[in-house]
């Protein structure tokens, strides 16, 4: 069987199942046997379609990132302002993190780097996109114009990298998501203008974290 023989729905189902296995078991524990069994197809057919576990990971990685990028773009298109969009994007990423173990996040990145799926140009473009979003927030008055966005962006990126690699260093009474919440809220409150803080309060009162965002919305 060749990929051309698959419908888009069939192809997507295979990649989704592979990603589901990755999120539950991590990359090393995910096997072609296991994925084939869950899809009720032979391992031989899976190898005919992808050739190797590495090739399947490559395509799943591209699919995962494309789907995430599409969802993030949709949030910006449907949001009424930049602060709302950024909060919803951070919440979407948080939701993804809540459903996977840190090994999945680390494996995805490390394997992607090893397989040249993430280039330095790609990293620079992601950084520039994030910088441009914050700069737009400054122009719209939601973020302060007296902060160094370059330093803030780089510090934020370092903190996110630390989260991916440092869960084993966290105390037992502090979870990865709790640290993520505090990093995000600290970052937003540090760069927000009075207008931005007022907008932030609409979604997340000063006593709140991302973790009880939905509870707050339900109360409203």
């Amino acid at each position: 069987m060749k990929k051309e023989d698959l419908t888009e729905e069939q192809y997507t189902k295979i990649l989704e199942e592979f990603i589901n296995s990755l999120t539950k078991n991590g990359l090393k524990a995910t096997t072609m046997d296991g994925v084939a069994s869950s899809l009720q197809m032979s391992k031989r057919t899976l190898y005919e379609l992808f050739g190797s576990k590495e090739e399947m990971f490559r395509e799943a990685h591209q699919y995962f990132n494309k789907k995430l990028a599409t969802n993030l773009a949709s949030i910006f298109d449907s949001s009424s302002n930049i602060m709302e969009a950024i909060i919803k994007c951070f919440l979407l990423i948080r939701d993804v993190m809540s459903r996977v173990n840190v090994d999945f996040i680390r494996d995805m990145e490390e394997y992607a780097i090893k397989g040249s799926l993430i280039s330095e140009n790609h990293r620079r473009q992601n950084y520039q996109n994030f910088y441009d979003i914050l700069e737009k927030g400054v122009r719209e008055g939601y973020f302060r114009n007296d902060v160094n966005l370059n330093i803030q962006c780089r510090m934020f990126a370092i903190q996110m990298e630390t989260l991916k690699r440092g869960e084993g260093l966290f105390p037992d009474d502090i979870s990865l998501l709790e640290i993520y919440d505090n990093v995000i809220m600290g970052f937003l409150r540090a760069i927000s203008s009075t207008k931005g803080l007022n907008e932030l309060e609409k979604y997340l009162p000063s006593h709140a974290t991302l973790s009880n965002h939905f509870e707050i919305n339900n109360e409203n």
Side-chain angles (χ1 to χ4, degrees):
M1 179 180 289
K2 298 180 180 179
K3 290 176 190 172
E4 301 82 64
D5 300 324
L6 299 173
T7 64
E8 183 177 352
E9 183 179 355
Q10 290 172 324
Y11 177 71
T12 298
K13 181 180 179 181
I14 292 173
L15 294 183
E16 290 276 7
E17 185 56 43
F18 184 66
I19 292 172
N20 286 339
S21 181
L22 288 174
T23 59
K24 293 177 183 176
N25 308 312
L27 180 60
K28 294 179 181 177
T30 296
T31 65
M32 298 294 267
D33 276 314
V35 175
S37 176
S38 62
L39 289 166
Q40 297 184 323
M41 66 169 55
S42 70
K43 183 172 70 172
R44 178 179 176 179
T45 299
L46 209 53
Y47 274 109
E48 287 175 351
L49 292 170
F50 295 96
S52 66
K53 177 180 172 180
E54 289 73 17
E55 180 59 29
M56 193 172 185
F57 176 84
R58 177 182 293 273
E59 297 193 28
H61 182 271
Q62 292 172 346
Y63 169 78
F64 179 86
N65 284 336
K66 183 178 180 180
K67 182 177 180 180
L68 180 60
T70 299
N71 289 337
L72 293 175
S74 177
I75 287 174
F76 274 93
D77 289 341
S78 61
S79 296
S80 57
N81 61 68
I82 198 74
M83 181 65 84
E84 177 187 352
I86 288 176
I87 292 172
K88 287 182 176 179
C89 285
F90 282 147
L91 284 168
L92 174 62
I93 294 171
R94 187 190 194 282
D95 182 59
V96 172
M97 291 175 63
S98 71
R99 291 183 281 111
V100 303
N101 58 57
V102 72
D103 289 335
F104 166 75
I105 300 172
R106 187 163 45 236
D107 286 349
M108 286 283 280
E109 176 133 337
E110 289 180 355
Y111 201 88
I113 293 173
K114 185 174 70 174
S116 300
L117 300 184
I118 299 179
S119 65
E120 188 56 36
N121 286 339
H122 182 77
R123 287 181 179 276
R124 281 198 292 266
Q125 186 60 58
N126 284 343
Y127 171 84
Q128 188 61 52
N129 290 342
F130 186 49
Y131 183 93
D132 291 344
I133 288 169
L134 297 185
E135 198 170 48
K136 180 180 180 182
V138 172
R139 293 195 303 270
E140 294 182 359
Y142 291 100
F143 300 135
R144 293 163 47 194
N145 58 13
D146 62 341
V147 299
N148 188 318
L149 289 183
N150 182 47
I151 292 177
Q152 290 292 333
C153 284
R154 293 190 183 280
M155 289 177 61
F156 180 74
I158 291 171
Q159 288 176 308
M160 290 297 101
E161 288 298 317
T162 302
L163 287 184
K164 295 176 185 176
R165 295 168 170 78
E167 188 180 36
L169 303 175
F170 302 156
D172 292 339
D173 61 335
I174 301 177
S175 70
L176 174 65
L177 290 179
E178 287 174 321
I179 296 179
Y180 175 82
D181 288 349
N182 279 273
V183 168
I184 297 303
M185 296 310 302
F187 173 71
L188 288 177
R189 288 183 173 131
I191 67 173
S192 291
S193 64
T194 300
K195 176 182 177 181
L197 289 172
N198 288 337
E199 190 66 25
L200 186 58
E201 287 286 314
K202 293 180 182 179
Y203 302 96
L204 298 167
S206 57
H207 65 277
T209 64
L210 296 177
S211 60
N212 54 14
H213 166 80
F214 295 107
E215 180 180 341
I216 292 168
N217 279 354
N218 287 337
E219 290 175 355
N220 293 338

